[in-house]
């Protein structure tokens, strides 16, 4: 029903000849509403709308014989640019290359770790999974079960609560597993939990990973900027994975996360099975957010 | 928002943004602002405390459920827990089990997630921690586990049965069919059950939460929400929209990952936290 609204807005815009400031303001209000309902953070929406409005009221658009069409184009382009413009790859330097996954509770880190391992092996790499969630009941077992399903080794130390120690030992042992990429799964944590944020800081400092990926749930609402922003301040994020994109959440959190961290979204999770990992496409995401 | 000052359009916009940033949603936020406009004329001096009090009352009223919910009288009292992946079902069940065990009830947990890696092991740890029993089977069909569990609970006169289910997206037709089958099997064994169907909603969830609640309710009538992860910075305002649109109230809130991190929902303190 909402997507009809935006289609309506765009149709009206395109159908118009000359556009008044009122026409444009009205259209911008409707786009604002669509973005908010798509869970884009309200501050990000405000910046976005202001930027689009400025261009829409610019002489180039007003001189055009199809100003409405121009504005729709501006909205699409602006959204795609904000989402990163193009696809982004993993940059796996080092031997072994190290990937660290972090994020809030339940966002899909453990599942994504296994998916990445599977995908990298398909690309000819030898992955080793590391179980650094030492808190959640049966977390280590979960990763071991996934590793077994994929026939990919999992490094774990039952009873050891020092995740830096565990990860470093895994890296030292990686040769024994003939592994050239080490994927470190961590516990879900709140960005406002100082001790847990220290833990990821220490992990990054000790491991110096080639990739530190923030794993976020596609259905996250306005709070996405808070969590992502705090994580980005605590550790250097190299990428974002947006999970559960097989649902029907519009995914405005993608825009918020990208905007507030400046980090490219590299992958999306599109299902529970371990082959359900896809490259993130900004243009497809833009279409989804706009409904 | 203190002192006696004129209530401006700008201030109303700021209030609207506060509501939106809590994930209350555009429609409901506009409705709440409309209420404010009707009661406080624009640009007239007003004591801000009355405005805030008005807002608090409006919101907490929307989250108050009707009294007279007799519960816990059936035996066994069957609670079905459902929800999207990762929203906190298994952990919340551990907390609920502990709550009932502490009250002297004999509790049985049902390992109805027969799909996800280590789901049963995870629930087993919660059953140990809470003093509840666990029913698990080698079966891959959750309905089979549920069937056996309810037969056993009936026979043995247990007090509470809490059924864990696999995370599922409402967009997965086959999984919603599976859920429908689970609740039909429940009814086969105990016609009045489930006595309580709880939907977990992650406090960080945006507008999709409303769609989740709507879709899940179509498969199995949802009685209450368990609003999880409220110990984060997210306000969980989508629960207000869910209550407003579907008349499904929040009954419990999750405030952490430990067994005691559960509280009965109190609309007044919830709304107070909203404006902090
Ligand atoms: N439908 C769907 N489900 C997913 C996806 N990614 C993960 N899940 C599911 O989401 C739930 C949580 O996934 P986990 O991998 O355990 O999440 P986590 O971040 O490791 O959780 P914590 O370690 O507790 O913080 C599980 O039920 C997964 O199967 C996805 O892309 N699509
Ligand atoms: N901070 C916080 N974390 C929570 C809360 N409730 C659950 N969690 C965490 O959220 C993550 C997911 O919890 P689960 O209980 O596995 O969620 P689930 O819905 O059973 O997940 P699936 O079965 O995979 O769909 C775990 O890391 C929990 O510790 C809460 O109230 N606060
Ligand atoms: Mg995990
Ligand atoms: Mg579970």
């Amino acid at each position: 029903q909402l997507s009809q609204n935006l289609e309506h807005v765009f149709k009206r815009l395109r159908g118009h000849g000359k556009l008044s400031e009122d026409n444009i303001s009205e259209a911008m209000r409707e786009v604002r509403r669509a973005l908010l309902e798509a869970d884009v953070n309200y501050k990000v929406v405000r910046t976005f709308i202001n930027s689009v409005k400025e261009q829409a009221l610019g002489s180039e658009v007003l001189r055009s014989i199809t100003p409405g069409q121009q504005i729709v184009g501006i909205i699409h382009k602006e959204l795609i640019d904000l989402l990163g413009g193009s696809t982004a790859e993993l940059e796996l330097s080092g031997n072994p290359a190290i990937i660290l996954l972090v994020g809030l509770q339940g966002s899909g880190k453990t599942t994504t770790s296994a998916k990445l391992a599977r995908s990298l092996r398909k690309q000819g790499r030898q992955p080793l999974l590391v179980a650094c969630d030492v808190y959640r009941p049966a977390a280590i077992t979960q990763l071991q079960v996934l590793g077994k399903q994929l026939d990919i080794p999992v490094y774990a130390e039952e009873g050891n609560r020092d995740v830096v120690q565990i990860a470093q030992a895994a890296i030292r042992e990686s040769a024994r597993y003939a592994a050239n990429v080490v994927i470190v799964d961590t516990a879900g944590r709140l960005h406002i939990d100082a001790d847990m944020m220290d833990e990821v800081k220490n992990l990054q400092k000790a491991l110096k990973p080639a990739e530190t990926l923030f794993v976020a749930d596609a259905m996250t609402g306005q709070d996405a900027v808070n969590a992502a922003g705090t994580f980005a301040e605590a550790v250097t994020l190299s990428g974002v994975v947006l999970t559960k994109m097989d649902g029907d959440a519009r995914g405005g959190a993608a825009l918020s996360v990208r905007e507030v961290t400046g980090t490219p979204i590299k992958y999306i999770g599109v299902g529970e099975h371990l082959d359900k990992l896809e490259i993130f496409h900004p243009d497809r995401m833009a279409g989804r957010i706009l409904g | 928002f203190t002192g006696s000052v004129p209530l401006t359009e700008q201030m109303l916009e700021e209030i609207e943004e506060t509501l939106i940033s809590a994930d209350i949603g555009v429609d409901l936020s506009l409705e709440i602002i409309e209420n404010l406009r009707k009661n406080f004329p624009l640009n007239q001096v007003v004591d801000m405390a009355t405005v805030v009090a008005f807002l608090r009352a409006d919101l907490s009223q929307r989250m108050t459920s009707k009294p007279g919910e007799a519960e816990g009288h059936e035996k066994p009292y069957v609670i079905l827990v459902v929800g999207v992946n990762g929203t906190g079902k298994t952990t919340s069940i551990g907390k609920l089990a502990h709550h009932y065990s502490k009250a002297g009830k004999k509790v049985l947990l049902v390992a109805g997630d027969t799909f996800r890696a280590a789901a049963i092991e995870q629930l087993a740890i919660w059953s140990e921690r809470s003093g509840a029993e666990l029913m698990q089977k080698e079966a891959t069909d959750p309905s089979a586990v549920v069937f056996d569990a309810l037969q056993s609970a009936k026979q043995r006169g247990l007090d509470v049965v809490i059924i864990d289910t696999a995370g599922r997206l409402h967009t997965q037709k086959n999984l919603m069919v599976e859920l429908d089958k689970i609740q039909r099997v429940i009814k086969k064994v105990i016609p009045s059950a489930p006595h309580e169907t709880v939907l977990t909603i992650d406090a960080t969830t945006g507008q999709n939460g409303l769609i989740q609640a709507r879709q899940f309710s179509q498969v199995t009538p949802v009685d209450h929400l368990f609003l999880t992860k409220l110990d984060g910075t997210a306000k969980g305002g989508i629960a207000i929209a869910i209550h407003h649109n579907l008349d499904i109230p929040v009954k419990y809130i999750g405030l952490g990952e430990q067994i005691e991190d559960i509280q009965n929902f109190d609309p007044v303190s919830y709304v107070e936290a909203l404006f902090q």
Side-chain angles (χ1 to χ4, degrees):
Chain A
Q1 208 229 352
L2 173 74
S3 54
Q4 277 181 11
N5 258 334
L6 258 194
E7 265 315 301
H8 241 129
V9 177
F10 287 172
K11 215 173 181 184
R12 272 202 302 276
L13 275 176
R14 284 193 190 103
H16 261 289
K18 194 117 181 46
L19 282 175
S20 70
E21 257 200 60
D22 278 352
N23 293 144
I24 292 175
S25 292
E26 174 60 16
M28 291 298 105
R29 268 196 294 279
E30 303 199 33
V31 174
R32 171 181 181 269
R33 184 183 181 120
L35 293 175
L36 287 173
E37 294 187 344
D39 291 324
V40 181
N41 183 270
Y42 75 94
K43 290 191 190 129
V44 175
V45 173
R46 193 190 302 144
T47 312
F48 180 86
I49 294 294
N50 286 343
S51 159
V52 171
K53 201 170 185 183
E54 192 176 337
Q55 295 176 57
L57 294 174
S59 55
E60 202 182 304
V61 173
L62 294 177
R63 268 195 315 223
S64 155
I65 49 169
T66 56
Q69 179 77 322
Q70 287 260 24
I71 293 172
V72 174
I74 290 168
I75 292 170
H76 271 287
K77 178 167 185 305
E78 192 76 3
L79 205 49
I80 291 170
D81 282 349
L82 279 178
L83 286 168
S86 60
T87 62
E89 302 222 3
L90 288 183
E91 318 237 330
L92 296 180
S93 52
N95 191 3
I98 302 164
I99 304 175
L100 179 65
L101 287 96
V102 301
L104 296 177
Q105 289 90 345
S107 63
K109 297 173 294 299
T110 305
T111 308
T112 302
S113 302
K115 288 178 181 179
L116 276 172
R118 180 187 179 282
S119 164
L120 288 169
R121 188 184 48 190
K122 269 193 119 200
Q123 296 172 37
R125 286 195 167 254
Q126 310 284 19
L128 171 67
L129 286 162
V130 188
C132 281
D133 180 351
V134 298
Y135 310 98
R136 169 174 151 154
I140 295 176
T141 309
Q142 184 184 3
L143 194 62
Q144 287 171 329
V145 170
L146 294 178
K148 194 144 178 285
Q149 283 176 11
L150 295 173
D151 192 23
I152 288 176
V154 176
Y155 185 89
E157 288 185 25
E158 294 275 1
N160 188 351
R161 306 270 291 182
D162 187 333
V163 295
V164 172
Q165 251 185 31
I166 297 170
Q168 286 177 326
I171 293 165
R172 278 199 307 276
E173 300 287 308
S174 58
R176 208 156 57 72
Y177 293 95
N180 55 25
V181 59
V182 174
I183 301 165
V184 183
D185 181 26
T186 65
R189 69 202 63 228
L190 291 179
H191 49 294
I192 51 172
D193 185 334
D195 290 336
M196 290 302 275
M197 292 310 285
D198 279 346
E199 184 184 84
V200 282
K201 280 185 196 152
N202 292 335
L203 268 173
Q204 184 171 73
K205 206 181 296 159
L207 309 184
K208 300 191 185 23
E211 288 275 353
T212 300
L213 303 175
F214 181 65
V215 179
D217 195 321
M219 65 191 194
T220 311
Q222 297 287 310
D223 195 60
V225 293
N226 297 326
T230 309
F231 268 86
E233 281 171 23
V235 293
T236 308
L237 297 176
S238 64
V240 174
V241 180
L242 207 58
T243 63
K244 306 175 204 173
M245 282 283 286
D246 44 318
D248 56 5
R250 298 264 294 281
L255 192 59
S256 309
V257 171
R258 169 77 218 209
E259 181 74 349
V260 82
T261 66
T263 308
I265 300 168
K266 299 199 172 180
Y267 290 102
I268 56 173
V270 291
E272 287 192 83
H273 289 110
L274 300 178
D275 58 347
K276 299 287 187 233
L277 187 72
E278 290 178 3
I279 303 265
F280 174 76
H281 289 271
D283 52 349
R284 292 181 205 171
M285 194 70 202
R288 177 176 177 139
I289 290 175
L290 285 173
Chain B
F1 279 93
T2 48
S4 287
V5 285
L7 183 67
T8 62
E9 191 63 53
Q10 165 79 359
M11 283 169 139
L12 286 179
E13 278 184 24
E14 285 180 34
I15 295 173
E16 190 207 11
E17 283 182 347
T18 303
L19 298 175
I20 286 178
S21 70
D23 288 312
I24 287 173
V26 175
D27 281 340
L28 192 50
S29 300
L30 287 177
E31 186 174 317
I32 292 166
I33 297 295
E34 268 321 290
N35 267 357
L36 211 53
R37 281 183 203 277
K38 286 193 196 121
N39 287 274
F40 297 92
L42 204 56
N43 294 320
Q44 293 214 10
V45 175
V46 64
D47 179 8
M48 274 303 135
T50 36
V51 174
V52 177
F54 180 87
L55 275 169
R56 282 202 183 136
D58 182 330
L59 285 164
S60 56
Q61 189 183 59
R62 289 171 192 273
M63 304 200 81
T64 304
S65 44
K66 323 170 215 27
E69 285 186 3
E71 72 167 50
H73 296 166
E74 298 79 356
K75 194 160 157 162
Y77 185 72
V78 180
I79 304 171
L80 175 66
V81 180
V82 303
V84 162
N85 307 69
T87 51
K89 297 176 291 301
T90 306
T91 307
S92 300
I93 287 170
K95 296 172 182 176
L96 280 171
H98 180 61
H99 160 78
Y100 281 110
S101 292
K102 271 197 305 186
K105 307 287 183 188
K106 292 201 237 80
V107 184
L108 174 67
L109 302 184
V110 185
D113 181 351
T114 53
F115 165 74
R116 209 208 66 209
I120 298 177
E121 287 87 336
Q122 184 186 7
L123 190 65
I125 291 171
W126 284 110
S127 95
E128 276 171 47
R129 288 178 179 179
S130 64
E133 294 184 37
L134 176 70
M135 167 65 77
Q136 59 173 299
K137 267 172 77 106
E138 266 311 309
T140 48
D141 181 0
S143 297
V145 195
V146 168
F147 185 84
D148 284 7
L150 290 179
Q151 295 280 33
S152 167
K154 241 179 27 182
Q155 270 176 11
R156 302 172 48 219
L158 300 181
D159 298 307
V160 182
V161 177
I162 312 178
I163 303 169
D164 191 13
T165 59
R168 71 201 66 227
L169 295 179
H170 49 281
T171 47
Q172 291 159 320
K173 213 159 165 58
N174 60 324
L175 293 186
M176 297 312 274
V177 167
E178 177 187 89
L179 187 57
D180 177 59
K181 181 168 175 214
I182 290 172
Q183 63 113 18
R184 276 189 285 115
V185 164
I186 291 172
K187 286 192 160 9
K188 253 204 199 109
V189 186
I190 302 174
S192 61
H195 304 109
E196 193 174 337
T197 299
V198 176
L199 173 70
T200 50
I201 294 283
D202 188 323
T204 64
T205 306
Q207 297 311 298
N208 194 254
L210 181 55
I211 303 176
Q212 290 171 27
R214 188 167 283 132
Q215 298 290 76
F216 272 88
S217 309
Q218 299 202 350
V219 174
T220 173
V222 174
D223 298 298
H224 303 120
L225 303 182
F226 196 129
L227 190 57
T228 63
K229 310 179 198 172
L230 260 187
D231 46 320
T233 52
K235 303 291 185 181
I238 196 63
I240 306 181
I242 293 172
H243 192 159
H244 174 74
N245 286 288
L246 303 172
D247 204 17
I248 302 171
V250 178
K251 187 172 180 200
Y252 310 104
I253 59 175
L255 293 167
E257 302 187 73
Q258 306 310 322
I259 208 164
E260 299 269 3
D261 293 332
I262 173 177
Q263 272 181 22
N264 287 317
F265 180 69
D266 170 28
V268 173
S269 38
Y270 172 83
V271 170
E272 213 149 294
L274 250 189
F275 286 111
Q276 270 160 11

